[in-house]
Amino acid sequence: METRDMKLVVVGAAGRMGQTLIRIIHAMPGAVLHAAVEREGSPFIGKDAGEIAGLGKTGVIIGDQPLEAFLHADGVVDFTSPAASVTFAGLAAQARIVHVIGTTGCSVEDEEKFKAAGRHGRIIKSGNMSLGVNLLSVLVEQAAAALSGRDWDIEVLEMHHKHKVDAPSGTALLLGEAAARGRRIGLADHSVRVRDGHTGAREAGTIGFATLRGGSVIGEHSVLFAGEGETVTLSHSATDRSIFARGAITAALWGMDKKPGYYSMLDVLGLSKS
Ligand code: NAD
């Protein structure tokens, strides 16, 4: 059977990830840039998506009409904002196209909306699309399970560039979730997001988060397992945004022949237990 390239829409096309996605789609076999969308009023509307991304003219002009862009596409890759991603999830499900969501900082209500959209659409969402971080999450879950009940403390430390607007990062939360799964506890009831002033001693069984921001750091994450007299650190360093973009395009291609559903990067990479 003849195969054709998957036609992808990049929303948030002028953003840091949007530009990286446009370059990676250009370089990766199996996918082609079908349309590029930015928010209404963006100074990049009307500009060539390839030129914005440093590729030269591609003939794909950045627009502000997502529904029109989704109409004849096969998938949308979305690293924007929580409110925008919720809107795109509804539109992508309506258009029956694959929706890959990398946006972080989403609320519990947003997550409910993504899951609802996954009843008709194919959604693949992850706080981190890289192979390395998803592998790390598997190792964190294993370590947390092995150390469960042994009085070891778990802390998640992250650093990102100064423009990042949400904290802790989606990746830190993904790693915290993995640790909580290993310990068979819920993260929401056990996480300590902030410490300030006279906090008292550390509460046993909690998972702590510490956030650093500065410069142009793409993403540094460590999960520390601290016991009496010893510490084990599992960590990941991102030195290039292309790891997230390659993961996102791989996810879109994987989603092409899948049933409607709400999937994660662990499913795409075959690292999921279920
Ligand atoms: P950015 O601010 O550089 O880019 C976001 C872009 O989205 C901007 O150009 C903005 O104008 C656009 N946008 C906002 N609302 C829109 C709308 N309604 N329609 C169309 N475009 C819209 O940010 P960034 O560094 O590219 O990150 C974007 C998101 O991706 C963040 O939430 C970030 O945390 C996340 N991220 C996730 C991963 C991952 O692997 N999951 C990796 C890196 C970044």
Side-chain angles (χ1 to χ4, degrees), residues 6-268:
M6 182 177 191
K7 293 193 279 182
L8 291 175
V9 181
V10 173
V11 288
R16 276 176 289 271
M17 278 306 301
Q19 293 181 39
T20 313
L21 285 160
I22 290 166
R23 287 193 293 273
I24 294 295
I25 291 172
H26 187 73
M28 257 173 86
V32 63
L33 182 66
H34 175 70
V37 175
E38 254 300 332
R39 63 178 164 75
E40 248 178 82
S42 159
F44 297 100
I45 306 290
K47 302 232 185 314
D48 189 288
E51 285 199 323
I52 299 296
L55 287 175
K57 269 200 172 44
T58 53
V60 177
I61 304 300
I62 300 181
D64 60 2
Q65 299 296 317
L67 191 54
E68 206 175 280
F70 293 2
L71 220 51
H72 300 290
D74 300 308
V76 49
V77 195
D78 172 3
F79 288 66
T80 57
S81 73
S85 292
V86 166
T87 306
F88 295 141
L91 297 178
Q94 215 177 310
R96 300 284 191 267
I97 62 174
V98 176
H99 186 193
V100 177
I101 308 175
T103 306
T104 62
C106 301
S107 65
V108 174
E109 293 75 32
D110 296 335
E111 293 294 343
E112 290 304 319
K113 290 179 187 149
F114 295 136
K115 284 189 186 131
R119 285 201 285 272
H120 304 290
R122 286 158 287 163
I123 292 191
I124 302 147
K125 182 170 184 294
S126 176
N128 194 303
M129 298 281 176
S130 77
L131 172 59
V133 160
N134 283 280
L135 172 64
L136 179 66
S137 78
V138 173
L139 300 175
V140 165
E141 183 175 344
Q142 279 176 5
L147 296 169
S148 189
R150 293 181 198 262
D151 196 25
W152 281 57
D153 300 320
I154 304 180
E155 294 281 311
V156 183
L157 173 67
E158 58 116 332
M159 179 159 185
H160 280 87
H161 56 87
K162 61 185 169 195
H163 303 290
K164 185 160 179 64
V165 293
D166 54 312
S169 70
T171 306
L173 292 169
L174 178 158
L175 295 171
E177 288 286 358
R181 265 198 314 279
R183 272 194 173 168
R184 297 177 180 274
I185 56 170
L187 182 63
D189 317 328
H190 292 85
S191 73
V192 175
R193 300 278 196 101
V194 183
R195 294 190 183 103
D196 186 27
H198 188 87
T199 59
R202 190 183 195 287
E203 194 186 328
T206 53
I207 296 175
F209 290 87
T211 301
L212 309 180
R213 292 285 176 267
S216 58
V217 175
I218 291 178
E220 298 288 323
H221 293 87
S222 295
V223 182
L224 292 94
F225 295 86
E228 276 307 313
E230 55 182 335
T231 301
V232 174
T233 306
L234 299 177
S235 61
H236 180 268
S237 243
T239 52
D240 192 329
R241 281 191 178 83
S242 62
I243 59 171
F244 311 127
R246 271 200 302 275
I249 308 310
T250 304
L253 293 167
W254 177 89
M256 269 293 264
D257 61 357
K258 295 295 172 295
K259 291 197 198 101
Y262 181 84
Y263 302 98
S264 81
M265 218 40 209
L266 291 175
D267 299 315
V268 175

